Amino acid sequence: MSTRSDSGALLDHLSRLLVRASDLDAVVDAALDLVLERGAHNAAVFLYHPERRELVLAGQRNHPRELLDQWRRLSLDEETLITRAVRTGVCQSLADGAAEAGFLKTAESASRTGFRAAVACPLLIDERPVGAFACGYTEPLGPADEREATLRTIAHVIAVAVQHARLASEAQQRAADQALLVEATRRFNSTLDLTTTLNDVARIVAEAVGDSCAIFQIDPARPAQLSLAALYHCDPAVAAAHQRHVTEQPLCTDKPPVADIVATGQARLLDAATLDETTRRAYLEPLGIVAGVMAPIIYHGALLGVLGVFSTTPGVAYGERELRLAGRLADSAAPAIANAQLFQRLSDEHVFLQSVLDHLPEAVMIAEGPDRRLTIVNRAVERLLGPPPPPGLPLREWVPQCPCRDPEGRLFDPDRHPMVRAAAGETLLGQEILVARPDGTELTVLGNFAPVRDQTGRVVGSVAVMQDISWRRELEQEKDDFLAVAAHELRSPLTTIHGHLQLIMRRPDRVPEDLRGRLQVVQEQVERMTQMAARLLDVSRIGMDRLDLRLAPVDLGALVAGVARRFEPRMADHRLMLLLPERPVIGRWDAARLEEVLANLLENAVRYSPRGSQITVSVGEAPGIARLEVRDQGVGIPPDALPHLFTRYGRVRRGSSGGGLGLGLYICRGIVEAHGGRIGVESQPGAGSTFWIELPRDA
């Protein structure tokens, strides 16, 4: 009765103590104290680690220090009372150590610690060992000793408490690890600077898992070799020693221990049990590393590098927790490192591009992004336009700060600025614009503006390349001045020659028969030279905006009919069709100048049309506008020549015909624009050309 009552009180007391225990250490301490209270001389609790097949001492009472060094870790293959209890799952006892020598290590331990009897009970959960509980007594155990039965009961309660405490500890550890991963991910993505990111990764991982962390990257110059990108150790001297060693003994992707990690894509433990002797001597022993784990850093299937975590603390062993945590940290660091590497490459490319553009004589500006912000502005922009805009300024905010006008002097509004139009998808080549500089000067700039597209063809920005052509304007002015002087100087001798020829031709009886034809040729060439001089003079006047017009009411239809009649002899090989309105189309124009324009267009139509083809001249009108068209069925004009057709000396060879100075259409444009009108052409090779003119009726 008293024995059962005593046992019940013991179990009740043990249960209440173990229930109140909040962690694994408290459970172990409570169990040890209770056993000592019940008469044990000493006691110890071991926890079992299946992956390492060893028992680790979790707590003890009254064992000498020299024995603790042996018992701190017990391999399951050792032959002791404790390891046998775990292997068999059955309590093992040593009734009298002085009389029994079955377990040498236990008997020796008994003699050294002073106990004669011992009991080792496995801690079982669902018949699986989670540890062992051992007690020593100074008196031998008797047959069916009640103490052994009590210890088995205590062992069962301890096993349950140990399992609960272990599960709670693991849950707390997982929560802490999850919080670490969240914080690490936040820190990893807090910057795009590659060096800062790698150093943060190394420090956070080292503080969480070990005392040292190294990050290796694939070396682009030597793809099979890893280069040290970041290293952290709590002791700077140790960190420096590690760095020197890794530099002297670089890791390679095709050699251990990295080869297996690269091949499997999985993290791997590094210790004496998992590494060959050569690798241990090369990497672990020189650095005093006792435990480690390496995990691949993989992003979208590409190996970026390897993360290694190491411990130099004696007695430390890594297991599943460190393996799992290092792998998850490597996975968390992978996108941050990939983004930082991408940002670094883009930054390097941007610096390289900026360096190249800064050495160009042309001003270059690039706007990108949804807001079309200026991202690249080279040095020539300041020389050309004045103080450069700050990086990131939206294009529409920059346009008003740099007033620009078209060649006619009209100010560009924000929507019509060439760079804004390019950002909307237009390509504008050879655009002349007038730029007002902050110092009050004005430059003539030639610019090419084009959209920037991504791989799908979507417009993501615009680019402008501009150069100062003021010098060209000055040169053209000098040419105009020279032409004006030359034309004036030519007119006097040509007029004299033409007058003398007329006097001679009026007295044909005094001119020998064989010279009359030659004099006629001379007279024709003098007239031709006179026309050329007049054209050169017109060119200079147009360039200086000094083309004089004698405006008077003119019927455009009648003017066309008159020019057509005079042209009949030259149209012998072509069919001329006139499409004239029934009522007069009248405006205030310079009739002689318009006749010159029409004659030039008809001359070109005849020159570039095959024999027998039709040339059509039509006159029409719209509100406030008169329209004249000359359509031929000739060879047409190449597309690349159209933009230059109305420029000075913009002569285009079509077919086998050629000749001339290339001033005719330039003068035509100058005459039409002097009237406030427009001139243009529509043409395709082989399909003929249509030149059109629009004149304001109230000019």
Side-chain angles (χ1 to χ4, degrees):
M1 179 70 179
S2 61
T3 302
R4 284 196 294 271
S5 176
D6 183 63
S7 299
L10 171 65
L11 293 178
D12 181 65
H13 184 54
L14 178 61
S15 298
R16 284 188 281 108
L17 282 176
L18 296 182
V19 168
R20 287 199 304 269
S22 58
D23 56 33
L24 189 59
D25 291 338
V27 168
V28 172
D29 288 341
L32 294 173
D33 290 342
L34 284 172
V35 172
L36 293 181
E37 290 177 5
R38 304 307 297 175
H41 175 68
N42 49 38
V45 175
F46 295 85
L47 298 181
Y48 179 53
H49 290 269
E51 66 274 7
R52 297 198 294 264
R53 284 184 56 80
E54 65 180 14
L55 293 164
V56 178
L57 182 65
Q60 62 84 29
R61 294 289 189 274
N62 299 335
H63 288 90
R65 183 177 299 276
E66 61 271 16
L67 186 63
L68 294 180
D69 292 336
Q70 296 184 35
W71 279 19
R72 197 169 299 280
R73 272 188 168 80
L74 292 176
S75 171
L76 204 61
D77 297 328
E78 291 187 55
E79 193 62 36
T80 67
L81 206 67
I82 299 167
T83 54
R84 183 173 183 181
V86 174
R87 287 199 306 268
T88 61
V90 177
C91 284
Q92 303 292 317
S93 62
L94 183 65
D96 188 350
E100 301 181 32
F103 302 108
L104 297 178
K105 189 168 185 178
T106 303
E108 180 185 356
S109 301
S111 64
R112 294 169 58 189
T113 57
F115 66 82
R116 294 185 60 181
V119 177
C121 297
L123 306 180
L124 300 175
I125 295 294
D126 296 331
E127 299 183 356
R128 290 182 294 105
V130 296
F133 178 59
C135 295
Y137 296 92
T138 57
E139 298 176 357
L141 296 176
D145 197 303
E146 187 176 319
R147 288 175 293 183
E148 183 175 336
T150 300
L151 288 176
R152 283 197 297 269
T153 304
I154 294 174
H156 176 70
V157 176
I158 294 176
V160 173
V162 165
Q163 181 68 359
H164 287 175
R166 175 176 281 180
L167 291 176
S169 176
E170 290 177 354
Q172 292 176 356
Q173 187 65 66
R174 284 194 297 270
D177 291 348
Q178 186 62 36
L180 170 66
L181 288 169
V182 171
E183 175 63 16
T185 301
R186 186 188 68 80
R187 297 287 294 276
F188 294 161
N189 293 283
S190 63
T191 177
L192 287 175
D193 180 77
L194 182 59
T195 301
T196 302
T197 297
L198 294 178
N199 287 331
D200 280 351
V201 170
R203 181 177 55 80
I204 292 172
V205 173
E207 292 174 350
V209 184
D211 52 28
S212 178
C213 177
I215 298 177
F216 304 89
Q217 288 183 287
I218 300 295
D219 191 338
R222 289 166 290 185
Q225 185 169 308
L226 294 172
S227 60
L228 182 64
L231 176 67
Y232 178 83
H233 191 281
C234 54
D235 185 344
V238 176
H242 284 199
Q243 186 165 359
R244 286 194 300 270
H245 182 77
V246 173
T247 303
E248 296 171 357
Q249 297 282 343
L251 295 173
C252 298
T253 58
D254 56 352
K255 296 179 180 178
V258 181
D260 293 341
I261 298 169
V262 173
T264 62
Q266 301 294 325
R268 177 180 174 181
L269 289 172
L270 304 178
D271 52 29
T274 60
L275 293 178
D276 60 86
E277 184 177 357
T278 302
T279 305
R280 289 199 309 272
R281 289 182 177 179
Y283 297 108
L284 268 60
E285 294 178 3
L287 301 176
I289 295 174
V290 297
V293 59
M294 296 187 78
I297 302 174
I298 300 174
Y299 187 68
H300 287 181
L303 179 69
L304 303 182
V306 174
L307 181 146
V309 186
F310 312 101
S311 177
T312 56
T313 303
V316 170
Y318 284 170
E320 290 298 324
R321 182 251 172 180
E322 291 77 13
L323 193 68
R324 180 180 65 256
L325 186 57
R328 294 185 66 182
L329 284 168
D331 292 341
S332 179
I337 293 175
N339 291 336
Q341 288 178 340
L342 177 60
F343 180 76
Q344 185 68 49
R345 287 196 298 270
L346 292 176
S347 298
D348 292 342
E349 292 174 2
H350 185 277
V351 171
F352 175 77
L353 177 61
Q354 186 71 55
S355 177
V356 171
L357 295 179
D358 281 342
H359 287 81
L360 294 178
E362 294 85 3
V364 179
M365 302 178 69
I366 299 178
E368 299 176 272
D371 297 333
R372 302 298 187 255
R373 296 181 179 272
L374 294 169
T375 56
I376 293 182
V377 178
N378 71 345
R379 294 176 182 171
V381 170
E382 183 173 5
R383 297 194 299 268
L384 189 66
L385 306 180
L393 182 69
L395 186 59
R396 288 183 177 273
E397 294 183 18
W398 170 77
V399 168
Q401 299 178 15
C402 184
C404 299
R405 296 183 291 117
D406 62 19
E408 285 71 34
R410 295 186 295 266
L411 189 67
F412 288 117
D413 60 53
D415 291 329
R416 299 306 301 164
H417 190 281
M419 198 165 180
V420 176
R421 292 169 61 187
E426 292 188 60
T427 298
L428 306 169
L429 304 178
Q431 295 288 304
E432 288 192 18
I433 58 177
L434 305 176
V435 178
R437 290 171 51 84
D439 59 6
T441 60
E442 187 173 71
L443 299 180
T444 301
V445 174
L446 182 67
N448 294 319
F449 306 88
V452 177
R453 302 180 184 273
D454 61 13
Q455 295 179 344
T456 65
R458 183 172 59 92
V459 177
V460 295
S462 61
V463 58
V465 181
M466 299 168 285
Q467 59 179 327
D468 180 11
I469 59 170
S470 299
W471 61 270
R472 197 164 74 181
R473 280 296 182 88
E474 295 173 358
L475 182 60
E476 289 175 355
Q477 184 62 49
E478 292 178 1
K479 288 166 58 179
D480 290 341
D481 294 341
F482 171 77
L483 290 176
V485 173
H488 278 292
E489 293 296 326
L490 284 173
R491 292 182 71 178
S492 295
L494 288 174
T495 301
T496 301
I497 295 172
H498 188 267
H500 283 288
L501 284 173
Q502 285 184 330
L503 289 175
I504 293 173
M505 295 300 291
R506 288 175 185 173
R507 300 293 298 272
D509 55 315
R510 295 187 179 185
V511 179
E513 185 69 27
D514 59 335
L515 293 180
R516 292 177 185 174
R518 296 181 182 181
L519 288 174
Q520 183 66 37
V521 172
V522 172
Q523 188 173 11
E524 291 175 357
Q525 293 302 313
V526 169
E527 291 177 355
R528 184 167 178 268
M529 290 183 67
T530 302
Q531 293 176 0
M532 290 176 60
R535 287 197 169 195
L536 290 175
L537 189 58
D538 283 343
V539 167
S540 65
R541 289 170 177 169
I542 291 171
M544 294 183 290
D545 294 329
R546 295 179 182 176
L547 187 64
D548 295 328
L549 299 179
R550 298 179 180 179
L551 303 179
V554 176
D555 181 357
L556 189 58
L559 183 144
V560 170
V563 174
R565 283 194 300 271
R566 291 195 299 273
F567 238 81
E568 284 182 0
R570 305 176 69 176
M571 301 285 292
D573 296 330
H574 295 78
R575 292 178 287 111
L576 179 62
M577 174 177 288
L578 300 181
L579 301 177
L580 305 179
E582 295 181 357
R583 62 179 184 177
V585 179
I586 298 176
R588 287 184 57 80
W589 303 309
D590 186 327
R593 290 295 190 181
L594 292 185
E595 288 179 356
E596 183 181 351
V597 172
L598 180 57
N600 190 289
L601 297 180
L602 287 174
E603 180 68 34
N604 287 340
V606 170
R607 180 181 301 174
Y608 298 113
S609 298
R611 291 184 177 183
S613 63
Q614 179 174 292
I615 298 174
T616 304
V617 182
S618 62
V619 175
E621 61 179 331
I625 294 176
R627 184 177 176 92
L628 170 66
E629 289 186 359
V630 177
R631 184 183 304 112
D632 64 51
Q633 298 175 335
V635 296
I637 303 170
D640 59 345
L642 290 175
H644 313 288
L645 198 61
F646 295 97
T647 60
R648 275 191 292 189
Y649 316 112
R651 187 160 51 90
V652 180
R653 293 189 178 276
R654 292 183 281 173
S656 59
S657 300
L661 296 175
L663 296 175
L665 291 177
Y666 173 74
I667 295 173
C668 289
R669 189 187 76 173
I671 293 173
V672 172
E673 290 180 351
H675 282 83
R678 299 189 307 147
I679 185 171
V681 63
E682 298 172 1
S683 180
Q684 291 184 356
S689 303
T690 299
F691 286 84
W692 54 266
I693 297 171
E694 291 182 348
L695 297 169
R697 299 284 296 276
D698 55 353

